[in-house]
Amino acid sequence: NEACSGRISPYDFCYFVLTDERSRIYERIDIRVDMMVDSGLEGEVRMLLGRGLTKDNVSMHGIGYKEMIEYIEGRCTLDEAVYKIKLNTRHFAKRQLTWFRREKDVTFIDINDERGPVGAMMEHLKAKGITDGR
């Protein structure tokens, strides 16, 4: 196997990426964003701003923070901010999958595989002779 640098690795390894149907990924993103908002995302951002951080700090450019700052500054409603967080997270998830598809030697594992994700990974490792499954 080759490492990212193009050198040959002295180790046997497998590179797994867990996947699911896009609609379920998006549904889980929506649920997770709602949980973040319900758990105090706005308060966290207000606290960070109160401690001197600004929208110009790199740490405040993350998904969720930048949209919540727009809301706090009055540039959008809370519903609009939450919508933007969900949309930007979906776009990020799509970019991640695109990036993984370009990687060499990636094995995609469907999390709904009847063997279960770990079972599917173990079967792949056995087939490659990396483990005997014990």
Side-chain angles (χ1 to χ4, degrees):
N1 287 334
E2 291 187 24
C4 294
S5 65
R7 297 181 301 214
I8 305 246
S9 173
Y11 305 102
D12 285 332
F13 68 90
C14 288
Y15 186 176
F16 296 109
V17 174
L18 299 176
T19 63
D20 198 357
E21 292 177 22
R22 186 170 292 176
S23 63
R24 285 206 288 250
I25 292 171
Y26 289 178
E27 182 181 333
R28 283 199 307 273
I29 286 169
D30 289 349
I31 290 167
R32 178 67 181 126
V33 170
D34 289 339
M35 288 172 55
M36 289 169 46
V37 172
D38 291 345
S39 295
L41 179 60
E42 178 186 345
E44 178 181 339
V45 173
R46 286 184 185 279
M47 181 264 307
L48 292 169
L49 293 171
R51 289 187 177 178
L53 290 171
T54 70
K55 64 182 177 186
D56 297 323
N57 292 97
V58 174
S59 60
M60 301 300 271
H61 292 193
I63 299 171
Y65 290 95
K66 63 186 176 195
E67 296 86 358
M68 196 55 66
I69 290 172
E70 287 181 22
Y71 163 65
I72 291 168
E73 291 178 342
R75 293 187 283 138
C76 67
T77 67
L78 180 58
D79 286 342
E80 290 169 333
V82 170
Y83 173 81
K84 288 177 187 179
I85 294 169
K86 291 176 181 180
L87 182 65
N88 290 337
T89 304
R90 287 187 204 108
H91 289 164
F92 183 74
K94 186 175 178 187
R95 284 193 307 275
Q96 282 180 319
L97 286 172
T98 298
W99 186 83
F100 283 126
R101 284 187 195 101
R102 287 193 298 241
E103 288 290 290
K104 289 177 59 176
D105 300 323
V106 172
T107 301
F108 288 90
I109 302 290
D110 185 333
I111 64 167
N112 302 298
D113 187 296
E114 62 188 26
R115 300 166 291 184
V118 174
M121 286 185 243
M122 291 301 294
E123 201 166 298
H124 184 79
L125 292 170
K126 282 186 235 174
K128 288 195 86 167
I130 293 175
T131 183
D132 61 9
R134 285 190 257 162

